[in-house]
Amino acid sequence: AHGMYVAIGNELLNFFRETGQHEKAITLSDDILLLMEEFQQEHSENFAYIMINVASSYSGAGRYAEAESYYTRAVHILEEQRPLIQEESQKKYFDVYYITALCGIAEAAYQLGNLKKALNDFGKAASESLFCCGDGEGTRMLWKNCISLADALKDPEQKNYYQSLLEKHEFKH
């Protein structure tokens, strides 16, 4: 029964988040996460996925420090779970959530004015994206974010590094 409540709650959380009702999403998410912790699910993939939704709600509400905290916790859980993923179809799904959480951390860091951390985390997300998804538009967009951040940080070494990756992979597209 608790699984059904969690599933329905997560769908409602998505609805609230997507319709800009961030405070309702945050309130509901507390109940869902507490229930999952009560049933010792706080290290599961599903817990991490819900944490990503919660983090997105905090970000949408402009509460970037809280968002960063939830994204970070989701990343740690996903890193614990990664070696347990066996099926290829599950790996792709898993990787997308992992990259989403890394990008969430980077975006929160950017919004909080920590450009160096944002660059590092977008760089990590870009590496993961290249590894699992190839050099498609998503990966190239992440490299462009890194180039912009390196430029803002006046870090020509990092800017040149990401620019060279972009150029190396752009001729294919």
Side-chain angles (χ1 to χ4, degrees), residues 75-128:
V75 163
H76 290 302
I77 293 167
L78 293 171
E79 286 172 347
E80 289 173 3
Q81 294 295 316
R82 180 175 253 167
L84 306 175
I85 306 297
Q86 299 298 320
E87 295 179 32
E88 280 304 311
S89 61
Q90 261 190 313
K91 287 181 182 178
K92 285 282 186 201
Y93 182 71
F94 178 91
D95 289 337
V96 168
Y97 278 101
Y98 184 65
I99 293 165
T100 299
L102 289 171
C103 288
I105 293 169
E107 178 64 23
Y110 173 80
Q111 293 295 336
L112 292 168
N114 189 342
L115 301 186
K116 192 166 186 70
K117 181 169 179 19
L119 174 59
N120 183 56
D121 290 327
F122 273 129
K124 186 173 180 182
S127 294
E128 289 289 331

Side-chain angles (χ1 to χ4, degrees), residues 25-150:
I26 291 166
T27 300
L28 175 61
S29 68
D30 290 339
D31 292 340
I32 296 169
L33 294 174
L34 283 172
L35 182 63
M36 290 185 78
E37 287 172 345
E38 189 175 308
F39 286 96
Q40 299 177 341
Q41 296 294 309
E42 67 269 18
H43 295 285
S44 69
E45 281 176 68
N46 286 336
F47 192 81
Y49 299 157
I50 291 171
M51 293 204 67
I52 291 169
N53 279 337
V54 173
S56 183
S57 296
Y58 275 108
S59 185
R63 296 167 60 180
Y64 300 108
E66 290 104 325
E68 185 176 31
S69 175
Y70 278 95
Y71 282 126
T72 299
R73 187 166 173 204
V75 163
H76 290 302
I77 293 167
L78 293 171
E79 286 172 347
E80 289 173 3
Q81 294 295 316
R82 180 175 253 167
L84 306 175
I85 306 297
Q86 299 298 320
E87 295 179 32
E88 280 304 311
S89 61
Q90 261 190 313
K91 287 181 182 178
K92 285 282 186 201
Y93 182 71
F94 178 91
D95 289 337
V96 168
Y97 278 101
Y98 184 65
I99 293 165
T100 299
L102 289 171
C103 288
I105 293 169
E107 178 64 23
Y110 173 80
Q111 293 295 336
L112 292 168
N114 189 342
L115 301 186
K116 192 166 186 70
K117 181 169 179 19
L119 174 59
N120 183 56
D121 290 327
F122 273 129
K124 186 173 180 182
S127 294
E128 289 289 331
S129 181
L130 179 63
F131 179 74
C132 80
C133 306
D135 62 355
E137 188 57 37
T139 302
R140 291 194 315 276
M141 180 195 68
L142 292 169
W143 287 332
K144 289 174 185 176
N145 285 355
C146 291
I147 291 166
S148 295
L149 286 165

Side-chain angles (χ1 to χ4, degrees), residues 150-170:
D151 195 38
L153 287 165
K154 300 189 183 339
D155 185 339
E157 185 178 319
Q158 287 289 316
K159 183 178 178 180
N160 291 338
Y161 172 72
Y162 288 108
Q163 187 68 47
S164 70
L165 286 173
L166 188 61
E167 290 168 2
K168 175 181 174 185
H169 293 274
E170 208 146 49

